[in-house]
Structures are given as C-alpha cells and as structure tokens.
Amino acid sequence: MCEQFGSIEWAIDEGRVPYEEAVTRMESRVDAIRQGRAPEQVWLLEHPPLYTAGTSAKDGDLLTARFPVFQAGRGGQYTYHGPGQRVAYVMLDLRPRGNDVRKFVHDLEEWLIRALDEFSIKGERRPGRIGIWVRNGDGSEDKVAAIGVRVRHWVTFHGISLNVDPDLDHFSGIVPCGIRDEKYGVTSLAALGLPVSMEDVDVALKRAFEEIFGPAAPNG
C-alpha cells in the first residue's frame, strides 16, 4: 500500500519482507531519487527473524546465530529484526536539506521520541549509546528503538526500528549494538504495558515525521 504524505511517499508492506529483497528495493529507490525519477519514500515493514551486522559490528557480539545473519552496510553494530517490530526505511534526499548527515540522525531520534510521546512513553537519547532508551524504576535502562543509516550520493536509506511487540528473547543471540552492560537491555511497547497495534504505531510515526521533516523540498 502506498500513499502520498506531503511530497514524500509512504509505503506499507503487510507481509514479512525478506531482508535481501528489502535491500535491493531500497538501493533501486535511492538511485531513482538521486536521479529525480521517483519521490522520496518512507517504507514501513516487518522482517522475518534475522540479525544484521552494521559496519562497526564485532564478531564476538554474535553469540548464537539463531537466525540468518546479513551484512547490512549501514552504520552501527549487530541488531535484530523480526515480527512485531516496525521497521521504517527512510529514503530522503539530503541535498535540499543542507547535506547534513548528523542533523538527519538527530532528526530520526527526535522523530522516535515524539512518536513515543503519543503513547506517554518518555524516550531519551544517550551519549555513546545509539537509539532511543527508556528508564526503569531500578535505575536500569532499556532500548526501545534502534537507528542505523547509510547515505549514498546524499540520499539516505536504512533507518529505524521500533519494538512494538516482538519476541524479546530473539535478541539473546547477539549483543545488541555492542552494549554488554547488564543494566542496559531491550524492551518493547508491549513489555512497557502498551499493547498497541501496528496501525496505531504507524499513525503516530506519520504524525511525528511531518512535525520533524515537513514536506520535502524540490531538488536543487
């Protein structure tokens, strides 16, 4: 399903998209955006259970290859994708946005923070720990959303993943994002007591995205 949201196309896949297929489709879209043949796109989907290794992944952080492992080409380390997790691949042209990758990542963080706020969840940034975190009453912290991006010719791809209701045990095959400290874990909206639907999450993501990024400017 596709719809136009401002001047950015939003696409939603209802099924579970194989990872290699997703990468092929992203790369094709990135080339089309760069050449002005297609609009920018945010692509919402779920994957079957799998692990991806970013460009900074360490071999020792793959504890047990419970699921297929893919070299992702994005920034970051190991992460898990699977059912119950909303993945959003963000393909935007940074040329009319000042060619500022650091600002883009900051805006992705803000996007997630504002979307979580719609469910009364306080998501926070942490220096040195990529992603969005929530505090627990005992002083520990859990990651609820991950971020990993790649930029080619100033067009972005890969993006974010938000844990809605995945099987959190599936994360046990890796050291998520290379963080071994036991006081830092992984959580989800369901684990936080919010059994929201994927459709509810998509509505919140769309609303918050427009607040942060606005309609895309035409290519210069």
Side-chain angles (χ1 to χ4, degrees), residues 80-95:
Y80 166 78
H81 293 312
Q85 183 188 71
R86 176 50 91 210
V87 173
Y89 289 135
V90 183
M91 289 158 276
L92 297 184
D93 190 346
L94 295 186
R95 290 172 293 182

Side-chain angles (χ1 to χ4, degrees), residues 89-172:
Y89 289 135
V90 183
M91 289 158 276
L92 297 184
D93 190 346
L94 295 186
R95 290 172 293 182
R97 295 180 169 86
N99 293 348
D100 193 334
V101 177
R102 183 172 296 180
K103 182 179 185 303
F104 171 65
V105 173
H106 183 275
D107 287 346
L108 290 179
E109 294 171 338
E110 187 65 24
W111 174 31
L112 285 163
I113 289 169
R114 294 195 189 188
L116 289 168
D117 187 60
E118 295 210 13
F119 303 107
S120 299
I121 294 176
K122 184 174 176 57
E124 299 178 310
R125 300 176 177 88
R126 288 292 179 266
R129 286 190 272 130
I130 193 69
I132 300 302
W133 298 78
V134 295
R135 300 179 190 226
N136 300 313
D138 61 1
S140 64
E141 297 182 358
D142 291 328
K143 178 184 281 191
V144 69
I147 297 172
V149 302
R150 187 174 180 182
V151 180
R152 178 183 294 165
H153 302 295
W154 296 113
V155 180
T156 69
F157 57 125
H158 296 276
I160 62 101
S161 58
L162 175 61
N163 296 331
V164 180
D165 189 15
D167 185 338
L168 295 178
D169 180 64
H170 287 182
F171 286 86
S172 65

Side-chain angles (χ1 to χ4, degrees), residues 8-29:
I8 300 171
E9 181 182 83
W10 281 71
I12 302 176
D13 267 59
E14 301 296 340
R16 297 173 186 173
V17 181
Y19 187 74
E20 291 173 312
E21 176 187 332
V23 171
T24 297
R25 287 170 62 178
M26 275 194 290
E27 291 183 340
S28 176
R29 187 61 174 239

Side-chain angles (χ1 to χ4, degrees), residues 59-76:
D59 290 342
D61 288 342
L62 178 62
L63 304 177
T64 306
R66 299 177 58 183
F67 308 112
V69 180
F70 297 92
Q71 299 298 317
R74 54 156 176 80

